[in-house]
Amino acid sequence: MMTKEEIKPTLDASDEHLLERFFSEASQQTIADNGFTQRVMRSLPDRSMLLSRLWTALCTVAGIGLFVGYKGWQPILTAIRSLVNTPLTDVHPIPVFIAVGAICSILLLELAHQEEITASV
């Protein structure tokens, strides 16, 4: 009985060259189908987009459910009341610097991303 190695054909350099030439010529050809291929491709459902939207909706509903279930508004209101009722002399500067630095970093990243999008167009 023959092994897989014996059955497998071997290609020499001329065969490789012929195959490359054939496929390069074939890839350059276009078949006139009066836009049929484009219409079919546009009518096919984009499964990945559908799954992405479903996953986003599921996570959003779960997040809202957890926020309401665990009364997430209470710590936010407590923090706002604490900030409003605290005199400025009692505020420690280090958390303020950290918050300002984080906000500036996010804004710079967003600006760089917008410039990258603009440059690619």
Side-chain angles (χ1 to χ4, degrees):
M1 183 172 241
M2 296 178 73
T3 64
K4 285 184 182 180
E5 286 77 26
E6 294 172 339
I7 296 173
K8 208 184 280 185
T10 57
L11 299 176
D12 60 359
S14 64
D15 292 336
E16 289 286 338
H17 178 69
L18 286 172
L19 284 173
E20 285 179 18
R21 194 176 78 191
F22 172 75
F23 285 115
S24 69
E25 290 171 3
S27 68
Q28 301 299 322
Q29 290 180 341
T30 56
I31 299 172
D33 60 359
N34 205 16
F36 174 76
T37 303
Q38 290 297 326
R39 288 193 307 273
V40 169
M41 293 304 290
R42 273 188 258 133
S43 69
L44 293 175
D46 187 5
R47 183 174 170 83
S48 63
M49 184 59 80
L50 175 65
L51 291 176
S52 173
R53 288 183 179 163
L54 286 174
W55 181 247
T56 301
L58 177 71
C59 289
T60 302
V61 168
I64 291 170
L66 289 171
F67 185 80
V68 170
Y70 286 104
K71 298 178 183 169
W73 61 86
Q74 288 179 345
I76 294 171
L77 290 176
T78 303
I80 292 172
R81 282 190 203 114
S82 174
L83 285 172
V84 169
N85 294 331
T86 303
L88 288 178
T89 56
D90 292 346
V91 176
H92 198 277
I94 292 180
V96 174
F97 290 139
I98 292 172
V100 169
I103 291 170
C104 288
S105 298
I106 291 170
L107 290 174
L108 285 173
L109 285 173
E110 182 64 26
L111 180 64
H113 180 69
Q114 290 299 325
E115 286 184 14
E116 183 178 293
I117 290 173
T118 305
S120 67
V121 174

